[in-house]
Amino acid sequence: MSSSDGTSATSDTARRQRRRSNALLLALAVGFLVFGAAAGALYYALRPVTLRIAVGPPGSDDHKLIEAAAEAFASESRTVRLSLITTDGAVEALALLRAGKANLAVGRGDLEMPADAQAVAIVRKNFVVLWSPSGLAGKSSKRKPAAKIKEVGDLAGHRVGVIGRTPANAALLRVILSASGAEADKVAVTQFGTDQIEAMARDPTLDAFMAVGPLDSKITSDAIAATARGRGEPKFLAIDASEAIALKHPRYESEEIPPSVFNADPAWPDDKVETVSVNHLIVAQKALSETTVATFFRQLFAVRQVIARRAPGAAHITKPDTEKDAELPVHRGAAAVIDGTERTFLDRYGDYFWFALLLLSGIGSAGAWLRHYLNRDERDENISHRKRILAMVSGVRTAESNQKLLAMQREVDAIISEALACYDDGAIEEEELAAFGLVLELFNHAVDERRAELQAGSLEPVRGAAGGRGLTSR
């Protein structure tokens, strides 16, 4: 084998080593890419989701409740966290939800809701409590004083003190008056803050009072007690048209106030009283992820007892009604948990898994094609080696000595070594190696035949010389 052939073999070996190194680097790069993508996807799937929730005013029961929920979510290492946005009231909180600046908001069900708002949970049920004072008994009078206003229809021409400055309370009173047959325009309404209960109880111009809140509300109980001290025993006014109100205005519900709920001795009220209620809700944007809302809903009820230790109002948190005819529909995430139709992990992400498998299959096919493309030179070189051995077969048949045969065998040995190295690197396939083996078998067979011929030819002259000497001696 010439020096030029040795140089060519050395360069081929160096080139193959470089390609092997490049293939290794490519495999490492793809591995790091896949690992990074998997780690990123895992981090994205497991990272806590922070929801912005608007609630107000500061210091209110709603604000304290959501603040306690946010602390409970954070301390329990939940997958959903809460970020409070404090507002001046429920109207402002709903406005932030409408503007897309909040994911959740706390507000009353009879307020104007955003078009895409959907219920997630009921924070509490607010009951309407209407009562009128009976008056204080005189020192010499033996008769028990009686209230001038005995039913809602008698409120026309009188003044009502309403606890809470929200316009929703005054609007609710007008609905009740209209349904009860009283002209709402003839009823004067004066609204007081929750810190003005004593002033309201002392106001002699007020003929009746109204509070809207949960039945265990301290504000309502304190207001009834304050008016009883200053104006006499309360006469609770039944809203007989509660069912009609609920039919005309689905945001309201017909309820009953149980006896003795505000006081046991004397019993306030002394019998059940028909009234209406309105829900205080946590609402969400319709576009908010079903999975996120479902997770928030489960967490809220999972830590409800923890929240109740910090904010007693958490005991009133209940599930919303999932009936389709509800005026405010329930978010699909909360409804799925309530109805037990929540999709499993495979239901939600099964399509993604199939897509990932298809993608990996495509990547594998692309990688195989790329490897096939990058190894095209080695395959061409293998074909040229095969042709080279075939050409050497003709040379073997005309070789004049064993030294020439040995030189050709060494050259073929070098070609075999390169072919096996290419096979180990994956540059050539097993079928190509099998074809190479057929050519090699042909070469070996030709070498064996030629070596036998050379050996037989070298023996003939020796035998002829031996015969000549025998004839001469004879």
Side-chain angles (χ1 to χ4, degrees):
M1 188 165 56
S2 64
S3 61
S4 61
D5 292 338
T7 304
S8 176
T10 303
S11 62
D12 290 342
T13 304
R15 185 173 65 253
R16 188 163 51 252
Q17 288 177 348
R18 285 196 301 271
R19 286 179 178 171
R20 189 184 304 173
S21 300
N22 292 337
L24 180 60
L25 291 175
L26 180 61
L28 288 175
V30 172
F32 280 122
L33 180 62
V34 172
F35 176 78
L42 186 63
Y43 172 78
Y44 180 80
L46 299 180
R47 68 185 177 91
V49 178
T50 301
L51 298 177
R52 303 184 307 276
I53 181 167
V55 60
S60 62
D61 292 341
D62 291 341
H63 192 271
K64 293 177 181 177
L65 176 65
I66 300 302
E67 195 173 34
E71 293 176 0
F73 280 15
S75 62
E76 294 284 334
S77 299
R78 298 289 174 173
T79 55
V80 172
R81 306 288 178 86
L82 293 179
S83 175
L84 269 69
I85 303 176
T86 303
T87 63
D88 294 333
V91 175
E92 292 77 10
L94 294 174
L96 290 179
L97 183 69
R98 184 181 296 107
K101 297 180 179 179
N103 307 115
L104 304 169
V106 180
R108 262 174 54 165
D110 56 348
L111 293 175
E112 184 180 356
M113 291 286 174
D116 62 343
Q118 293 185 333
V120 176
I122 298 176
V123 176
R124 64 177 180 274
K125 189 181 290 290
N126 291 327
F127 290 76
V128 176
V129 182
L130 278 168
W131 73 97
S132 63
S134 300
L136 296 174
K139 295 182 180 180
S140 59
S141 176
K142 295 182 180 180
R143 297 180 58 185
K144 185 177 181 180
K148 296 180 181 179
I149 300 174
K150 298 181 180 180
E151 57 185 27
V152 177
D154 298 337
L155 289 174
H158 294 83
R159 182 179 295 276
V160 178
V162 178
I163 301 174
R165 297 191 177 278
T166 172
N169 284 348
L172 177 54
L173 178 59
R174 286 193 295 271
V175 171
I176 294 171
L177 291 172
S178 299
S180 301
E183 296 184 24
D185 295 338
K186 294 184 178 181
V187 178
V189 176
T190 303
Q191 293 185 264
F192 296 85
T194 55
D195 56 346
Q196 296 178 310
I197 292 177
E198 291 297 335
M200 182 188 71
R202 291 193 300 267
D203 191 340
T205 63
L206 301 176
D207 303 306
F209 307 94
M210 173 182 169
V212 182
L215 292 178
D216 60 351
S217 171
K218 187 175 184 300
I219 295 174
T220 303
S221 299
D222 291 347
I224 295 173
T227 57
R229 288 192 302 268
R231 304 284 299 277
E233 290 290 315
K235 166 63 179 177
F236 292 91
L237 308 179
I239 304 175
D240 297 327
S242 61
E243 293 185 0
I245 293 173
L247 287 174
K248 292 181 180 179
H249 307 277
R251 64 186 64 185
Y252 302 120
E253 298 178 13
S254 176
E255 300 285 351
E256 288 184 349
I257 300 175
S260 304
V261 69
F262 300 118
N263 194 59
D265 189 19
W268 295 343
D270 57 358
D271 198 0
K272 60 183 180 182
V273 180
E274 194 171 352
T275 187
V276 295
S277 67
V278 58
N279 289 328
H280 225 71
L281 304 163
I282 297 178
V283 293
Q285 296 172 326
K286 182 180 179 179
L288 193 58
S289 167
E290 176 182 347
T291 304
T292 301
V293 174
T295 304
F296 167 77
F297 185 86
R298 286 197 307 271
Q299 287 184 193
L300 181 64
F301 283 88
V303 300
R304 186 171 54 173
Q305 299 302 323
V306 177
I307 301 173
R309 289 196 290 267
R310 306 176 185 180
H316 298 295
I317 298 177
T318 57
K319 303 174 182 178
D321 188 5
T322 57
E323 293 294 331
K324 293 183 179 180
D325 58 351
E327 182 169 341
L328 187 64
V330 180
H331 194 282
R332 61 190 183 280
V337 179
I338 296 171
D339 298 335
T341 58
E342 186 180 6
R343 295 185 299 170
T344 63
F345 181 83
L346 289 178
D347 292 335
R348 289 197 302 267
Y349 301 108
D351 294 340
Y352 294 102
F353 281 127
W354 284 113
F355 177 76
L357 289 175
L358 290 175
L359 182 62
L360 289 175
S361 177
I363 292 174
S365 300
W369 176 87
L370 181 61
R371 189 182 68 172
H372 190 269
Y373 176 77
L374 293 176
N375 293 331
R376 65 190 184 281
D377 293 339
E378 279 79 359
R379 288 194 305 277
D380 294 341
E381 187 176 357
N382 179 65
I383 294 173
S384 66
H385 285 334
R386 214 164 54 214
K387 291 180 178 179
R388 188 174 167 189
I389 296 175
L390 280 173
M392 285 170 37
V393 170
S394 300
V396 167
R397 298 189 189 279
T398 58
E400 298 177 353
S401 65
N402 284 325
Q403 285 76 13
K404 291 222 173 186
L405 290 177
L406 184 59
M408 284 189 281
Q409 280 186 311
R410 288 174 179 171
E411 187 175 350
V412 170
D413 289 342
I415 294 174
I416 293 173
S417 177
E418 291 182 11
L420 291 177
C422 290
Y423 176 76
D424 292 338
D425 292 341
I428 60 175
E429 303 295 336
E430 189 172 353
E431 294 81 3
E432 295 173 321
L433 193 64
F436 191 88
L438 291 175
V439 175
L440 185 62
E441 185 177 355
L442 179 61
F443 173 82
N444 290 331
H445 186 66
V447 169
D448 290 341
E449 287 183 347
R450 186 57 182 165
R451 184 171 284 128
E453 291 175 358
L454 290 175
Q455 187 175 6
S458 63
L459 289 175
E460 286 297 330
V462 174
R463 288 175 182 170
R469 286 196 301 273
L471 291 174
T472 302
S473 62
R474 285 196 295 270

